[in-house]
Amino acid sequence: MSAAQKPRVRFAPSPTGYLHVGGARTALFNWLFAKHEGGTLLLRVEDTDVERNQPELVDGILVALKWLGIEWDEGPFFQSQRGEMYRAAAERILASGAGYACYCKATAYAGGDYSAAENEDQEGEGDDEGPKTLKAAACPCRAFSDAERAAKEKEGIPRAIRFKTPRTGVTKFEDAVFGPREIQNADIEDFVLLRSSGVPTYQLSVVVDDIDMRITHIIRGADHLSNTPKQVLIYRALGATPPIFAHVPLILGPDRTRLSKRHGATSVGSYADEGFLPEAFRNFLALLGWSTGDDSEFMRTTELIERFQLSGVSRTNAIFDRPKLEWYNTQYLQKPPVEELLPFVEAELRRTGLWKDEWATTGRAWFARAVDLIRPRTRLLTDFSGWARAFFSDEFEYEQEARDKFWKDEKIPALLAKLSEALAALPDWNHDACDAALRAVAAAEGVKAGLLINATRVAIVGRAVAPPLFDTMVVLGNDRVIARLRRALIFLASR
């Protein structure tokens, strides 16, 4: 890559599953690198594996990327629409002598990239079982004479095209993360480029695409290190210079095994549904296998872009720490200006049927105050429609545990009745006025203020634990608080 050339990178998922954590991290690293360098990110859908592809999953992958905030500059391109280009490249390699026709049955292609598994894992997915490099038995077709090949053609036997790997020497490449790498050519089988059905293998299609799309850097999971020597051979056979490779560490579960469903949710969509914020997820993912070199943790996306460099990518596998992800989410729920959080809370309230359109217009200031009061105690966006439901709806239940603990005193109904009267008589509705009114009722009745505070909290929000009571009363407003106290009296009377 010349000094003046801007990087061109790609994220290339396969529609054989949802976007998983490993793939999302790979996409994020590509995006951060492109943004930092002023380069271009392409999105390519590797959908040539007809046996495993689920076309409907493409939309799911795109939705997950958009939720994560990853915007691509070109694409999406679909490999299924580029077959002629791959076949032409295979024929070029065959004609150059770097490949040969193989007439073996498909089942004989053990280790030769022919089976459904030969797609060798989704590019970009770093959390599924990776490719297994199997040393195939030497294909007898490599040694065929012209006459033997002609005889096979005359019989009409379908041919595949294999790469004729050199028997001696080494294949070398430079990796921006793992450094110089080399492999003995004797350890690389004559891998298949084009199946006898005319469908290309993973090894061929990605190289042809990366050449055609002028990719300068390939950033992908370390489980693809074993594929790289084969791809370097293809680049050279096609007369192209290999790009810069950067293989990022794998993501492991807490037990240090490959991250999988046994460790819990692994798809990005699951975390979106749970109530994680996209920027929190980005911050967490960015630090799975990459470091700024200091102790920085909470970093807004602009800072991640500013600081991201491939030199900061670790060679050590990363550990997916769910509690740490939740910590990041609380930080992003609590630290940014409340205005940034409002659209996400609105979406959650819409999803659960709690949203009122007035909160987008005349009631926007009230909505912001309510969210700001609630968010210090939240862990997930779903908390706003869960334990904080009573702030946005008058239909809520009294928790049994809260009732048992704070409504057991026989004085509670009388206390709540007197408090509702005292509050209704207030000329001003503010924190201090509500505080003084409640404490005056408690003093007059000869009980501790705490008894009435706890009972009132259960009455107006249904829970034992919530934001500070008098702040809550101010946000709810006098009409709603008094109505809820009277509703609680009716409930208690029925019991």
Side-chain angles (χ1 to χ4, degrees):
M1 186 177 71
S2 67
Q5 185 179 3
K6 294 292 188 180
R8 288 175 62 84
V9 297
R10 82 308 196 266
F11 177 58
S14 297
T16 55
Y18 295 103
L19 182 65
H20 289 262
V21 170
R25 196 271 310 267
T26 298
L28 179 64
F29 279 11
N30 276 281
W31 182 75
L32 289 173
F33 179 72
K35 285 287 192 182
H36 177 82
E37 299 289 341
T40 301
L41 171 63
L42 290 78
L43 178 62
R44 185 172 74 221
V45 179
E46 299 189 341
D47 58 346
T48 58
D49 188 347
V50 294
E51 295 181 12
R52 298 169 67 205
N53 285 339
Q54 300 180 58
E56 65 274 12
L57 292 179
V58 173
D59 286 342
I61 292 171
L62 301 186
V63 167
L65 287 172
K66 290 175 181 176
W67 174 82
L68 196 54
I70 293 175
E71 300 172 350
W72 51 94
D73 303 296
E74 297 180 18
F77 303 102
F78 293 85
Q79 285 190 333
S80 59
Q81 300 171 7
R82 298 165 62 84
E84 286 303 320
M85 186 181 299
Y86 309 137
R87 287 187 281 275
E91 294 293 344
R92 279 177 55 199
I93 292 173
L94 176 65
S96 73
Y100 63 90
C102 172
Y103 302 94
C104 300
K105 290 183 179 180
T107 53
Y109 292 165
D113 296 14
Y114 190 84
S115 68
E118 61 77 37
N119 240 19
E120 301 215 337
D121 200 13
Q122 301 189 83
E123 181 109 345
E125 291 293 332
D127 51 5
D128 295 321
E129 285 300 317
K132 303 295 188 293
T133 301
L134 303 175
K135 191 71 174 72
C139 175
C141 303
R142 175 171 176 145
F144 277 2
S145 64
D146 290 344
E148 287 173 311
R149 278 192 293 274
K152 292 290 186 182
E153 294 287 342
K154 188 174 182 179
E155 291 179 46
I157 297 176
R159 69 169 192 186
I161 297 177
R162 282 186 184 269
F163 193 88
K164 187 184 290 184
T165 305
R167 297 297 198 198
T168 59
V170 297
T171 295
K172 300 179 180 181
F173 65 93
E174 186 74 23
D175 190 278
V177 177
F178 287 88
R181 308 281 292 186
E182 68 175 51
I183 186 170
Q184 296 293 323
N185 289 332
D187 292 332
I188 305 174
E189 75 274 9
D190 289 351
F191 51 94
V192 174
L193 298 171
L194 192 71
R195 303 178 181 93
S196 57
S197 63
V199 176
T201 62
Y202 163 78
Q203 307 290 9
L204 176 67
S205 59
V206 296
V207 173
V208 171
D209 280 341
D210 288 337
I211 293 172
D212 180 63
M213 296 174 183
R214 309 187 311 283
I215 299 302
T216 63
H217 296 71
I218 294 179
I219 304 169
R220 61 187 180 186
D223 46 351
H224 283 278
L225 269 169
S226 61
N227 291 325
T228 307
K230 300 175 185 177
Q231 293 168 13
V232 168
L233 288 171
I234 297 173
Y235 275 103
R236 291 172 180 161
L238 291 173
T241 302
I244 296 169
F245 292 93
H247 289 90
V248 301
L250 304 181
I251 300 176
L252 307 180
D255 58 358
R256 298 187 180 276
T257 61
R258 293 293 292 271
L259 189 67
S260 66
K261 291 179 180 178
R262 69 178 176 274
H263 296 112
T266 59
S267 73
V268 172
S270 297
Y271 291 100
D273 293 342
E274 279 191 61
F276 286 93
L277 288 161
E279 191 172 14
F281 205 74
R282 282 197 297 276
N283 194 162
F284 170 74
L285 278 184
L287 294 176
L288 284 180
W290 172 76
S291 170
T292 59
D294 55 31
D295 295 330
S296 300
E297 287 192 310
F298 179 82
M299 286 182 283
R300 305 301 302 269
T301 300
T302 51
E303 184 179 358
L304 290 176
I305 292 170
E306 181 182 331
R307 303 185 68 173
F308 188 85
Q309 295 183 15
L310 291 177
S311 59
V313 177
S314 170
R315 299 183 185 185
T316 306
N317 290 334
I319 305 298
F320 189 91
D321 184 348
R322 166 77 185 221
K324 189 68 173 182
L325 171 58
E326 293 184 4
W327 177 84
Y328 274 107
N329 211 55
T330 61
Q331 299 302 299
Y332 279 90
L333 284 167
Q334 296 167 19
K335 286 185 176 180
V338 70
E339 289 76 14
E340 293 186 25
L341 186 58
L342 298 185
F344 297 102
V345 180
E346 176 179 338
E348 172 60 21
L349 297 181
R350 285 185 183 278
R351 185 186 70 83
T352 52
L354 298 177
W355 178 254
K356 294 181 180 178
D357 289 339
E358 66 195 64
W359 296 337
T361 54
T362 57
R364 196 66 171 181
W366 174 86
F367 179 55
R369 286 200 308 274
V371 170
D372 208 26
L373 176 63
I374 297 164
R375 65 177 179 155
R377 295 175 177 267
T378 54
R379 185 174 58 91
L380 298 165
L381 279 171
T382 47
D383 288 338
F384 287 94
S385 60
W387 69 257
R389 175 188 179 90
F391 284 84
F392 306 105
S393 173
D394 292 324
E395 296 179 6
F396 61 91
E397 297 181 354
Y398 307 114
E399 285 186 342
Q400 184 67 50
E401 183 179 355
R403 287 158 45 192
D404 292 344
K405 185 173 183 179
F406 295 121
W407 280 1
K408 62 184 179 181
D409 193 303
E410 61 183 13
K411 302 187 190 73
I412 294 302
L415 287 169
L416 293 179
K418 291 184 180 296
L419 177 61
S420 67
E421 294 172 5
L423 294 175
L426 287 179
D428 298 304
W429 189 263
N430 55 54
H431 177 286
D432 291 347
C434 292
D435 185 345
L438 182 143
R439 294 182 189 281
V441 170
E445 297 301 312
V447 299
K448 292 183 178 179
L451 176 70
L452 186 50
I453 287 172
N454 290 324
T456 302
R457 183 180 294 110
V458 178
I460 66 174
V461 295
R463 295 175 48 83
V465 179
L469 176 63
F470 302 114
D471 292 331
T472 296
M473 293 170 72
V474 171
V475 165
L476 289 175
N478 56 349
D479 291 343
R480 294 175 80 191
V481 168
I482 293 165
R484 290 179 181 194
L485 288 171
R486 291 170 178 168
R487 173 194 172 202
L489 287 171
I490 295 171
F491 180 88
L492 288 167
S494 69
R495 295 297 187 272

